[in-house]
Amino acid sequence: TLAKCFNRMDHESGRRLPPDTSVLPRLLQKLTMYKSLEIRLMKIMSLLSLAICLVNISCSKQNETSDVPVRTVVTGKVINPVSREPTISLVVNRVGLGQEEINAPLDSSGNFKFDFQTYVPVDAWVAYRTNFLVLIRPGDSLYVEFDAREEDRPALLETIKFEGDGAEINRQASIFQRLYYASNLYVYGHEEPYRRLKKAFKIYEPVRFEAFADSTRAEGLAFLNDYIRQYKPDEFVKTWAGYSIQQDYYDVMSSYPDEHRKANVLKESEWYVPISYYDYFDVGRANEFGNGLQSGHAISGYLDQYLSYMWRLTRDELSDSEDRSQLAFDSICLYTIIKHTSPG
């Protein structure tokens, strides 16, 4: 689970890169080398405090949770399947546990079935040619049908149909996704917004980039409010959509330091943002992710970015001679979460 915390996101596919579980034994070995950190066993438990806090808050506010794992089924049909792609995938976003990918064959008529267990609501990518998210609660039996002739997300989402448990919330969520992916908010799918973002990464200094990110966040919130006003989604969907919009903001803010260095061919020792840049993690916004685990994709992205914040808090405590390898990064992230996060 700790290894999965260091995954990186593929923005285009929405999938998280696979975990490198080999880092765990090496990470624990490395921890013993940092004698000055004096990590004690009881404090290690606080590594999980952020994720546990989110889980506890979520479970207390949602009545779709279960004390035991519940069998959950997603069935459906791909209309006009492609012969060279005989399987379809369901990628379940589990907060704190990474992603679970389930593959299923298509029969001769394009029918498929996924069967898994969950304690809490989740969102999951249905992946065939392109991908889209569905919202699933424990015990649901959801039916999904779409036309695979459409490889473009918004066009495919025009063809989608739902039946069974959660059909209405997924219809509402599909409308949100169709509108979002067709808009300039989805910068990775539109040339001009992507060009503006890359330019901002390169030429803006931290204060100006913060203003840029705040303006795009305001556009996202206006988009969200328009969607809510026009389509009046269920609270479950409204919360999920809100997390998605908020995560765009965290994504660009956390990406800026590395993207700025990359665009200007700078080393970390030559340029880095002031610690005050990371105040966006410290204004209570983390609580926005505490209302429901149906937004596993967004919450998992936030937790990954929180690790970068933890690293930055301690980076200046290292001397130039100390190890700055990926292994040291992993070790310092663990230590800093212990240091800066209160247990319970």
Side-chain angles (χ1 to χ4, degrees):
T1 300
L2 289 174
K4 293 177 182 178
C5 289
F6 298 101
N7 289 353
R8 294 295 181 262
M9 180 65 66
D10 182 344
H11 292 291
E12 188 60 32
S13 69
R15 296 191 181 190
R16 312 179 75 72
L17 300 178
D20 178 13
T21 55
S22 64
V23 75
L24 289 174
R26 294 185 290 115
L27 185 149
L28 292 174
Q29 181 183 25
K30 191 70 175 183
L31 278 172
T32 63
M33 299 176 63
Y34 286 89
K35 295 180 181 179
S36 63
L37 302 184
E38 299 178 353
I39 296 178
R40 294 177 295 181
L41 181 60
M42 289 184 63
K43 284 192 174 183
I44 292 178
M45 295 303 295
S46 65
L47 290 171
L48 305 177
S49 61
L50 177 63
I52 291 173
C53 176
L54 291 173
V55 171
N56 287 341
I57 294 173
S58 173
C59 290
S60 68
K61 294 188 178 181
Q62 295 291 343
N63 57 13
E64 295 90 353
T65 61
S66 172
D67 293 333
V68 296
V70 179
R71 181 172 181 256
T72 305
V73 178
V74 177
T75 60
K77 182 175 183 178
V78 177
I79 301 172
N80 297 308
V82 179
S83 58
R84 66 178 181 277
E85 297 184 31
T87 61
I88 186 171
S89 299
L90 185 74
V91 184
V92 183
N93 299 303
R94 299 185 185 273
V95 175
L97 300 174
Q99 289 181 315
E100 176 187 1
E101 181 169 347
I102 310 168
N103 298 306
L106 298 177
D107 69 13
S108 58
S109 299
N111 297 306
F112 61 87
K113 180 180 180 180
F114 298 106
D115 195 321
F116 65 101
Q117 294 186 326
T118 184
Y119 292 84
V120 297
V122 294
D123 59 4
W125 293 102
V126 175
Y128 189 83
R129 305 200 72 196
T130 184
N131 58 8
F132 55 88
L133 284 165
V134 292
L135 309 185
I136 310 167
R137 298 164 301 191
D140 276 357
S141 180
L142 176 68
Y143 177 86
V144 186
E145 182 178 299
F146 61 92
D147 193 333
R149 285 181 300 186
E150 304 292 351
E151 194 170 1
D152 177 66
R153 272 200 196 105
L156 181 145
L157 288 165
E158 288 275 11
T159 73
I160 202 164
K161 297 177 182 178
F162 297 100
E163 295 178 10
D165 302 324
E168 178 57 21
I169 63 172
N170 276 286
R171 186 190 69 80
Q172 296 170 2
S174 70
I175 292 172
F176 173 82
Q177 292 178 84
R178 174 171 56 82
L179 297 172
Y180 172 82
Y181 286 119
S183 76
N184 285 339
L185 292 175
Y186 182 55
V187 296
Y188 300 102
H190 296 86
E191 183 177 349
E192 182 56 26
Y194 183 69
R195 185 193 64 79
R196 286 199 304 267
L197 177 62
K198 298 297 285 186
K199 180 181 178 181
F201 278 147
K202 181 175 183 178
I203 69 174
Y204 289 172
E205 289 303 309
V207 172
R208 191 175 179 189
F209 188 83
E210 288 181 59
F212 169 83
D214 286 341
S215 68
T216 57
R217 183 171 184 255
E219 292 174 8
L221 293 175
F223 170 89
L224 176 65
N225 289 333
D226 287 344
Y227 163 74
I228 292 172
R229 184 166 49 252
Q230 182 174 353
Y231 295 98
K232 299 176 175 55
D234 181 276
E235 282 296 325
F236 191 83
V237 179
K238 189 188 301 184
T239 299
W240 170 82
Y243 291 164
S244 299
I245 292 296
Q246 295 284 14
Q247 182 52 29
D248 283 350
Y249 168 79
Y250 290 115
D251 185 44
V252 297
M253 286 291 287
S254 64
S255 298
Y256 167 69
D258 285 341
E259 292 293 335
H260 183 83
R261 280 191 291 267
K262 188 188 305 181
N264 292 281
V265 196
L266 296 169
K267 298 178 181 179
E268 185 176 1
S269 59
E270 297 173 322
W271 183 91
Y272 49 85
V273 295
I275 194 66
S276 60
Y277 175 84
Y278 293 93
D279 285 349
Y280 68 94
F281 275 116
D282 289 332
V283 292
R285 289 174 178 168
N287 292 330
E288 296 164 356
F289 292 94
N291 296 323
L293 295 178
Q294 70 267 34
S295 302
H297 175 63
I299 294 175
S300 296
Y302 174 83
L303 291 175
D304 277 352
Q305 292 150 11
Y306 190 82
L307 280 179
S308 296
Y309 169 52
M310 291 288 99
W311 161 256
R312 184 62 180 86
L313 285 177
T314 305
R315 191 192 64 80
D316 292 336
E317 297 179 14
L318 293 177
S319 67
D320 290 338
S321 62
E322 288 192 83
D323 189 350
R324 294 177 182 269
S325 66
Q326 178 64 40
L327 201 54
F329 171 84
D330 295 346
S331 301
I332 292 298
C333 278
L334 264 68
Y335 161 65
T336 314
I337 294 173
I338 292 172
K339 179 177 178 180
H340 294 279
T341 307
S342 299

